């Protein structure tokens, strides 16, 4: 996930670039409000962390500039104090979330991840493969427009497969997604779940194919 950080406090920015970097975020840093728009034009970011007190162009102005340009990027605002007035004015200005300084980096990460997930969910609420579709906000599968009832584990396997249609997933990958919090689950557990899913998809123009040595793949067709 690629993040743009607009912050003029060098110590804080350096620490954030490093701390977020250790947790899988790639962070680019600018220290002047005028640089934000330019950076967003040059690179595709997943979110912006915006300090309100910025030289060049103040954070409030950066925000209204972005929203006027219909820039949908999720924006998390950093405020110097936890002030209700500031929160309200930022919300009206189009901020998606806030964090008052000083903050804990784990809270920043959690909020960023939630913002990005929400933004992506709006872009891609549905996955489909032939007559099978999955609505990720409702967490509901439909087969030929009828709700498909699945156990939680069948649901988890099928969700992993439909998010990568036409692409094989190995038993190991499926195990990690379905039984992530359990130890010592045998690969046969996945075989059993695949067998049950095949039964549920019987007579529909979508199927789970076995690719020897590679894993399972969802594909449309008889
Ligand atoms: Ca500042």
């Amino acid at each position: 996930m690629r993040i743009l950080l607009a912050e003029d406090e060098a110590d804080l920015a350096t620490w954030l670039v490093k701390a977020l970097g250790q947790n899988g975020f790639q962070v680019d840093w600018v220290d002047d409000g005028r640089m934000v728009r330019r950076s967003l034009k040059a690179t595709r970011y997943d979110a912006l962390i915006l300090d309100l007190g910025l030289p060049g162009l103040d954070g409030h102005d950066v925000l209204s500039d972005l929203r006027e340009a219909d820039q949908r990027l999720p924006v998390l605002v950093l405020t110097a104090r936890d002030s209700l007035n500031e929160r309200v004015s930022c919300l009206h200005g189009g901020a998606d979330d806030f964090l008052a300084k000083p903050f804990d980096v784990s809270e920043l990460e959690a909020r960023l991840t939630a913002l990005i997930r929400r933004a992506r969910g709006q872009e891609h609420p549905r996955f489909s493969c032939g007559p099978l579709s999955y609505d990720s906000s409702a967490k509901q599968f439909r087969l030929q427009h009828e709700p498909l009832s699945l156990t939680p584990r069948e649901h988890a396997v099928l969700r992993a497969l439909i998010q990568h249609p036409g692409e094989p997933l190995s038993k190991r990958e499926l195990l990690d997604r379905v039984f992530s919090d359990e130890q010592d689950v045998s690969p046969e557990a996945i075989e059993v779940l695949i067998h049950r899913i095949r039964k549920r998809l019987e007579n529909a123009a979508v199927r789970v194919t076995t690719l020897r040595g590679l894993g399972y793949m969802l594909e449309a067709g008889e």
Side-chain angles (χ1 to χ4, degrees):
M1 285 180 278
R2 195 151 184 187
I3 310 292
L4 181 63
L5 168 66
E7 168 64 70
D8 62 323
E9 284 171 54
D11 289 347
L12 175 61
T14 311
W15 171 68
L16 278 180
V17 168
K18 198 171 159 218
L20 290 172
Q22 284 167 347
N23 291 288
F25 294 92
Q26 192 186 340
V27 184
D28 295 336
W29 168 39
V30 295
D31 61 1
D32 183 306
R34 289 168 297 193
M35 296 294 293
V36 172
R37 193 75 179 264
R38 203 177 306 167
S39 305
L40 294 180
K41 266 194 188 133
T43 309
R44 192 184 158 88
Y45 289 99
D46 294 299
L48 167 67
I49 302 173
L50 179 64
D51 177 37
L52 281 186
L54 280 175
L57 192 62
D58 157 89
H60 290 286
D61 295 333
V62 170
L63 197 54
S64 57
D65 184 43
L66 292 183
R67 294 318 185 205
E68 267 167 35
D70 202 25
Q71 174 58 261
R72 302 290 175 89
L73 185 76
V75 179
L76 188 148
V77 164
L78 298 179
T79 61
R81 59 209 143 81
D82 199 0
S83 133
L84 179 66
N85 284 345
E86 203 149 79
R87 282 168 185 250
V88 171
S89 83
C90 283
L91 268 183
H92 284 308
D96 298 284
D97 203 358
F98 304 87
L99 210 48
K101 293 177 186 175
F103 52 83
D104 194 289
V105 76
S106 61
E107 184 175 6
L108 176 63
E109 272 170 35
R111 285 170 182 264
L112 271 180
T113 306
L115 278 186
I116 293 168
R117 196 187 302 132
R118 222 184 295 153
R120 286 191 179 159
Q122 282 160 3
E123 273 174 37
H124 308 287
R126 286 172 176 284
F127 296 89
S128 66
C129 186
L132 181 70
S133 67
Y134 179 62
D135 180 333
S136 57
S137 50
K139 298 187 169 47
Q140 173 71 61
F141 280 95
R142 285 177 182 271
L143 186 60
Q144 274 132 9
H145 308 295
E146 292 297 318
L148 181 64
S149 105
L150 298 163
T151 66
R153 282 175 180 174
E154 291 165 9
H155 182 103
V157 169
L158 195 53
R159 187 184 57 208
L161 290 170
I162 204 166
Q163 285 172 341
H164 303 87
E167 200 183 301
L169 288 178
S170 68
K171 277 184 203 166
R172 171 49 54 193
E173 287 169 312
L174 289 170
L175 274 176
D176 289 346
R177 280 162 213 234
V178 179
F179 300 97
S180 56
D181 46 356
E182 290 168 54
Q183 305 279 312
D184 303 327
V185 181
S186 79
E188 285 73 46
I190 291 294
E191 288 170 20
V192 171
L193 289 169
I194 292 284
H195 176 75
R196 291 204 209 130
I197 289 170
R198 282 180 171 146
K199 288 243 175 230
R200 299 202 190 261
L201 299 179
E202 229 165 32
N203 305 321
V206 58
R207 59 182 175 164
V208 180
T209 319
T210 307
L211 295 173
R212 212 163 272 283
L214 292 173
Y216 298 104
M217 182 173 86
L218 190 67
E219 58 181 353
E222 293 307 320

